[in-house]
Amino acid sequence: NAGVMQNPRHLVRRRGQEARLRCSPMKGHSHVYWYRQLPEEGLKFMVYLQKENIIDESGMPKERFSAEFPKEGPSILRIQQVVRGDSAAYFCASSPRTSGSSYNEQFFGPGTRLTVL
Amino acid sequence: GENVEQHPSTLSVQEGDSAVIKCTYSDSASNYFPWYKQELGKRPQLIIDIRSNVGEKKDQRIAVTLNKTAKHFSLHITETQPEDSAVYFCAAPTGNTGKLIFGQGTTLQVKP
């Protein structure tokens, strides 16, 4: 059973370009969370998605950031017009969590390290 | 919403000694408390977790204790080894979406 997959593992972009980060959850998991980790800091929640639905995007910056989790394919975190402050590690986590359950075990992918030049 | 405070920020111990990391949380509705270990450049790895219906859980050299009344939980590592050196994060969920709020992290150094 493959774990959470993320690609690319490293991504370099120049200011103003777009960054697309992909996440494939563990088999059988339909809940995906994205977190951002700035250098030498903790993880901050960004967005929570289920298939075809954004459930909670309270941690997403209001502009330039968007996320999706289509019926087929991986979840995608998209950052438009990147700036240097977007440089960070972006982790996704998947969970087998069922609706209404208090069981919140989350397994993390290897992360995408975004560097904005 | 949830607020998680973690102490200490750094911890240095001799190999074989015990290490204790403490976290407090604010949301009394939180019912699940995981601990993650993150080595440099790697993903956070779930090492142990506890649900609110128990006060303690052990897994070999690692244990977690929970005090719901005081709203704090602790990670205990006994017989520390150099490979235990890493950053450790506590977390607690908030709201009904399961999103995790993380502590600030503790950098543990185990000296051989």
Side-chain angles (χ1 to χ4, degrees), chain B residues 65-84:
Chain B
T65 58
L66 171 64
N67 183 327
K68 282 220 76 175
T69 304
K71 287 194 248 179
H72 65 70
F73 57 112
S74 300
L75 177 71
H76 303 254
I77 306 174
T78 58
E79 301 173 27
T80 53
Q81 300 168 4
E83 51 264 39
D84 294 330

Side-chain angles (χ1 to χ4, degrees), chain A residues 17-91:
Chain A
Q17 291 184 319
E18 179 179 288
R20 279 184 181 242
L21 289 60
R22 287 175 288 277
C23 169
S24 296
M26 287 177 71
K27 187 177 180 181
H29 290 189
S30 60
H31 302 259
V32 168
Y33 300 81
W34 285 92
Y35 294 86
R36 178 164 64 176
Q37 187 174 34
L38 294 170
E40 298 187 16
E41 291 192 13
L43 295 115
K44 305 289 186 191
F45 167 77
M46 297 182 76
V47 61
Y48 163 47
L49 310 102
Q50 295 177 24
K51 283 285 188 182
E52 300 185 276
N53 284 303
I54 297 173
I55 308 301
D56 182 346
E57 55 182 348
S58 58
M60 289 274 272
K62 295 287 184 255
E63 298 177 349
R64 303 188 297 107
F65 285 71
S66 62
E68 63 179 15
F69 191 11
K71 187 177 180 181
E72 301 291 337
S75 175
I76 295 174
L77 180 67
R78 182 183 178 205
I79 312 172
Q80 294 179 289
Q81 299 175 332
V82 296
V83 300
R84 288 214 175 114
D86 296 333
S87 295
Y90 293 83
F91 291 96

Side-chain angles (χ1 to χ4, degrees), chain A residues 3-4 9 33 35 37 40-45 48 55-56 58-59 91 97 102-111 113, chain B residues 31-32 34 36 38-46 49 51 87 89 93-105:
Chain A
V4 180
R9 298 287 303 276
Y33 300 81
Y35 294 86
Q37 187 174 34
E40 298 187 16
E41 291 192 13
L43 295 115
K44 305 289 186 191
F45 167 77
Y48 163 47
I55 308 301
D56 182 346
S58 58
F91 291 96
R97 183 173 180 267
S102 62
Y103 183 74
N104 294 319
E105 192 173 37
Q106 295 181 23
F107 298 93
F108 281 79
R113 279 147 188 86
Chain B
N31 54 15
Y32 171 72
Y36 287 87
Q38 187 178 32
E39 296 175 355
L40 190 62
K42 301 283 181 66
R43 76 184 77 193
Q45 201 157 14
L46 179 68
D49 56 21
R51 313 261 167 82
V87 181
F89 292 98
T94 188
N96 59 2
T97 63
K99 65 187 180 191
L100 292 174
I101 306 300
F102 284 83
Q104 300 88 336

